[in-house]
Amino acid sequence: MAEHSEVAYTTADGNDYVAHEQTYEGFIKLVKYGTAFVVFILAMMAIFLT
């Protein structure tokens, strides 16, 4: 049977946690500002297209 005592991704070579965290923070910013932009566009459409 396979040995399950150690999780592979915690010991794998090449894991760059700093880059991972930067990518995640960038994604969160993109979602936050993207959502705000869509809400702004919808508000402007509600004001000027009615």
Side-chain angles (χ1 to χ4, degrees):
M1 291 200 146
E3 189 68 35
H4 294 291
S5 63
E6 199 171 337
V7 180
Y9 64 83
T10 59
T11 59
D13 292 337
N15 284 342
D16 190 357
Y17 289 108
V18 174
H20 169 75
E21 290 175 356
Q22 289 174 347
T23 302
Y24 180 73
E25 289 173 5
F27 173 75
I28 294 299
K29 283 183 184 178
L30 175 68
V31 169
K32 181 171 51 174
Y33 293 123
T35 301
F37 181 70
V38 169
V39 168
F40 173 75
I41 293 296
L42 288 173
M44 291 298 108
M45 289 173 66
I47 291 170
F48 293 111
L49 294 179
T50 54

